[in-house]
Amino acid sequence: MNMGVFQYYFSMKALLWVLVIFVQTREYMGCLEEERVGLLHLKSFLIISIQPHTYSDYFLPSWIDHEKSDCCGWERVKCNSTTGHVIELSLDNLMQNYYDLYFYYGRENYEEHSWLLNVSLLESFKELRSLDLSFNAIDGCIPDEGFEKLSTLKNLEILNLGYNFFGHDNSHIVQSLGAITSLKTLNLTKNKLEGYFPAQELVTLRNLNTLDISSNSYKGTLPNQGFERLAVLRNLETLILDANGFGYSIIPSLSNLTSLMTLNLSRNYDLGVDERVVEGFKRLAVLRNLKTLNLEWNHFEDSIIPSLSGLTSLTTLSLAGNKIRGSKMLSRLENLEKLDLSVNFLNDTSFLQSIAVIKSLKNLNLAWNELGRSFGTKGWKILSILENLEILDLSHNYLNDASFLQSIAAIKSLKNLNLAWNDLGGSFGTKGWKMLSSLENLEILDLSKNFLNNTSFLQSIATVKSLKTLNLQYNELTGSFPTKELANLSNLEVLILGVNHFGG
């Protein structure tokens, strides 16, 4: 090895040490001065905009103009530990009381606190990846200071604008967001967006993975400008459209979004009253990647069921809050793991025959139906073949007979059983409770609100050694605290006995 090679080797080694020292120095120096000043300017603007709805002395108190104050340690700020650049700003609920204003005092009180945003104040954070501005009653942007200003932030991937008033002034908020081409997650839930959804304005967001426009007032899309325009977004996997006014017209266009894995169409009430929607859902069978479909609270009747049978890739399906009676059910969804049929009108055993064929099912919710009124023993026996079922919710079903437990007890895989809000304290004998002892994997049992009036049944419950959580609240249990009966539950971690009549 000649001298030139040695010199090159040691030169490269020295350069490497210089780079290491530079990185360490950068870590020690904390945030960049330009971004520290930018945060202070942002705070000043926010104080002026939000007053008199907050007290400036208590507003972002760690954001102080002091040479020894590292902005990377400020609340709601996260920096890259190597470069010192600000990468996350969590500026949600800046007034701290907006959750209360919105959920407890109504949207009207919340709206009284609205203000306009100056987006240009965020331009200095060149490496920003995540920006959360939700729950702030923002009513729009200052003229010429809209979200197109953020197009220079090439690393911005997550933008949450939920629970504001964007769209209130008919501003082109969606159009301006189309300029932020790096976005992967865009949340616009609970704003005042209305009219026809301008899907074409978002075709530039080629990296978009998740789009949430739920709880607005969109009523559809214009001809040739619907969701089919988003087919160019090859990374779009999650689309949340619930609580709008979308009708049948959008369903065929959704079939073009072949990368979708999650689709939420719940609470779009016009869907359930249009007979064409049945044929429309058949077209969604081309969505071979679709895993989760939410169709809650849409006034759907039994006729919707056959049109969903082509969605064989589904692992989660929710039809809660509809008008399904059970005359037709699902059988071809061989990959389904979670099925929610709560708050319907199920009162016949026929639908269980098709459910029982779905051997992959792990979570079944049948709460708030009428299963205890005309549901015979034969119907329950069908459930016993669900050998992978782990969670079963039968609450609010007028159950008052022990016969169903014989079949439930045969589901050895069961871990969570909810029997709350039934009538198990009436004619429910000791024999019925003993059947539960065979559930050797059961960890959670909810028997609250069941008119239980003595503790004798606990002797049978105590044989379920795997039990970790037992809920007995809101019953009519009397006498001494059942210490003896519960002593054998060695794995019990949570015991809820509130609102009973124990005497000691």
Side-chain angles (χ1 to χ4, degrees):
M1 186 178 294
N2 60 38
M3 186 62 66
V5 174
F6 272 116
Q7 288 178 337
Y8 176 79
Y9 172 76
F10 285 112
S11 295
M12 290 298 99
K13 190 173 182 179
L15 179 59
L16 179 61
W17 277 109
V18 169
L19 289 173
V20 170
I21 293 172
F22 174 79
V23 170
Q24 291 177 338
T25 303
R26 164 50 52 208
E27 289 180 342
Y28 176 77
M29 289 175 63
C31 69
L32 303 178
E33 177 63 14
E34 178 187 357
E35 296 188 359
R36 186 184 74 87
V37 172
L39 289 171
L40 292 173
H41 287 165
L42 178 60
K43 176 180 177 178
S44 298
F45 169 79
L46 292 173
I47 290 175
I48 294 172
S49 300
I50 294 175
Q51 283 185 331
H53 311 304
T54 190
Y55 297 100
S56 58
D57 292 342
Y58 302 100
F59 184 74
L60 301 175
S62 63
W63 293 28
I64 57 175
D65 189 6
H66 192 284
E67 60 181 8
K68 293 185 177 181
S69 180
D70 180 6
C71 69
C72 289
W74 292 355
E75 60 191 293
R76 299 172 176 266
V77 179
K78 182 178 180 180
C79 296
N80 183 301
S81 60
T82 301
T83 66
H85 279 291
V86 174
I87 57 173
E88 290 184 20
L89 285 176
S90 302
L91 302 177
D92 55 303
N93 192 29
L94 286 169
M95 285 176 251
Q96 299 296 313
N97 63 341
Y98 266 22
Y99 295 121
D100 292 338
L101 282 172
Y102 192 94
F103 289 114
Y104 297 107
Y105 298 103
R107 193 175 175 92
E108 295 76 16
N109 288 288
Y110 180 70
E111 193 167 356
E112 291 177 1
H113 299 73
S114 62
W115 52 285
L116 298 177
L117 179 66
N118 184 350
V119 177
S120 63
L121 291 172
L122 300 166
E123 287 184 278
S124 59
F125 311 113
K126 301 299 183 183
E127 299 297 319
L128 194 64
R129 298 177 187 173
S130 175
L131 175 61
D132 188 349
L133 291 167
S134 61
F135 276 101
N136 280 312
I138 303 173
D139 199 19
C141 298
I142 292 174
D144 301 320
E145 301 293 346
F147 284 99
E148 64 276 357
K149 295 283 186 179
L150 297 186
S151 61
T152 59
L153 305 186
K154 302 302 183 183
N155 294 303
L156 187 60
E157 297 180 348
I158 301 173
L159 180 58
N160 188 350
L161 301 176
Y163 291 88
N164 285 293
F165 297 117
F166 289 110
H168 180 260
D169 59 351
N170 294 317
S171 61
H172 301 293
I173 174 68
V174 178
Q175 181 179 4
S176 67
L177 292 170
I180 314 174
T181 56
S182 56
L183 281 181
K184 293 184 178 180
T185 298
L186 176 57
N187 190 340
L188 290 166
T189 186
K190 287 282 185 179
N191 276 280
K192 288 201 167 186
L193 303 170
E194 58 186 12
Y196 295 101
F197 175 64
Q200 72 279 2
E201 303 293 353
L202 298 180
V203 296
T204 54
L205 304 183
R206 300 303 173 93
N207 297 299
L208 199 64
N209 175 274
T210 300
L211 176 61
D212 185 348
I213 57 172
S214 61
S215 298
N216 282 287
S217 299
Y218 283 125
K219 60 182 179 180
T221 58
L222 293 171
N224 302 316
Q225 295 183 23
F227 287 99
E228 70 276 1
R229 299 293 297 273
L230 299 185
V232 296
L233 307 185
R234 300 299 184 186
N235 295 304
L236 187 62
E237 296 181 352
T238 301
L239 183 58
I240 305 175
L241 306 177
D242 66 281
N244 279 282
F246 290 120
Y248 159 77
S249 62
I250 72 164
I251 303 300
S253 66
L254 292 173
S255 64
N256 294 279
L257 308 182
T258 54
S259 59
L260 274 187
M261 297 181 69
T262 298
L263 176 60
N264 189 337
L265 288 167
S266 63
R267 293 181 295 163
N268 283 282
Y269 304 119
D270 289 343
L271 286 176
V273 298
D274 193 325
E275 295 180 358
R276 296 174 298 170
V277 79
V278 174
E279 291 300 316
F281 274 108
K282 288 181 180 180
R283 298 180 60 174
L284 297 186
V286 298
L287 301 181
R288 298 301 183 188
N289 295 304
L290 194 64
K291 303 293 185 184
T292 300
L293 179 60
N294 190 335
L295 298 176
E296 296 175 358
W297 301 98
N298 276 312
H299 303 303
F300 287 133
E301 298 182 352
D302 289 18
S303 57
I304 194 65
I305 302 301
S307 67
L308 302 177
S309 60
L311 300 172
T312 54
S313 59
L314 282 184
T315 59
T316 299
L317 173 61
S318 181
L319 288 164
N322 284 289
K323 299 179 179 179
I324 296 171
R325 298 185 179 277
S327 60
K328 300 176 182 177
M329 273 314 302
L330 306 151
S331 57
R332 292 179 56 193
L333 304 185
E334 57 188 20
N335 294 303
L336 201 63
E337 297 181 359
K338 182 177 181 179
L339 177 60
D340 190 346
L341 290 167
S342 60
V343 200
N344 276 285
F345 298 95
L346 300 173
N347 60 6
D348 187 87
T349 62
S350 60
F351 78 95
L352 280 186
Q353 295 176 1
S354 59
I355 290 179
V357 176
I358 310 173
K359 298 298 179 63
S360 56
L361 206 59
K362 295 181 179 180
N363 187 330
L364 177 60
N365 190 344
L366 298 174
W368 289 94
N369 281 285
E370 301 175 2
L371 305 183
R373 290 185 168 172
S374 58
F375 225 60
T377 304
K378 183 179 179 180
W380 293 112
K381 284 183 177 179
I382 299 172
L383 279 183
S384 64
I385 65 175
L386 292 174
E387 57 189 22
N388 292 304
L389 194 65
E390 297 180 355
I391 301 174
L392 178 60
D393 191 341
L394 295 174
S395 60
H396 295 271
N397 264 298
Y398 307 101
L399 297 171
N400 60 7
D401 187 275
S403 59
F404 78 96
L405 270 190
Q406 185 173 0
S407 300
I408 300 300
I411 310 174
K412 304 299 183 181
S413 56
L414 208 59
K415 294 182 178 180
N416 186 333
L417 177 58
N418 190 345
L419 297 174
W421 289 82
N422 284 292
D423 189 13
L424 306 184
S427 57
F428 222 64
T430 304
K431 183 179 179 181
W433 293 113
K434 283 184 177 180
M435 297 174 187
L436 288 179
S437 62
S438 62
L439 294 176
E440 55 191 25
N441 293 302
L442 191 66
E443 297 180 356
I444 301 174
L445 177 60
D446 191 344
L447 296 173
S448 59
K449 202 69 176 182
N450 262 295
F451 304 102
L452 298 168
N453 53 23
N454 69 77
T455 59
S456 60
F457 72 96
L458 287 177
Q459 295 177 3
S460 299
I461 300 296
T463 62
V464 187
K465 304 295 186 181
S466 56
L467 208 59
K468 293 182 179 180
T469 298
L470 177 59
N471 189 347
L472 297 172
Q473 67 178 341
Y474 291 101
N475 279 291
E476 299 171 3
L477 299 174
T478 59
S480 301
F481 185 82
T483 305
K484 182 179 179 180
E485 289 86 346
L486 298 174
N488 292 328
L489 294 176
S490 57
N491 291 305
L492 195 64
E493 298 174 355
V494 178
L495 176 62
I496 306 173
L497 296 171
V499 196
N500 279 287
H501 306 288
F502 292 115

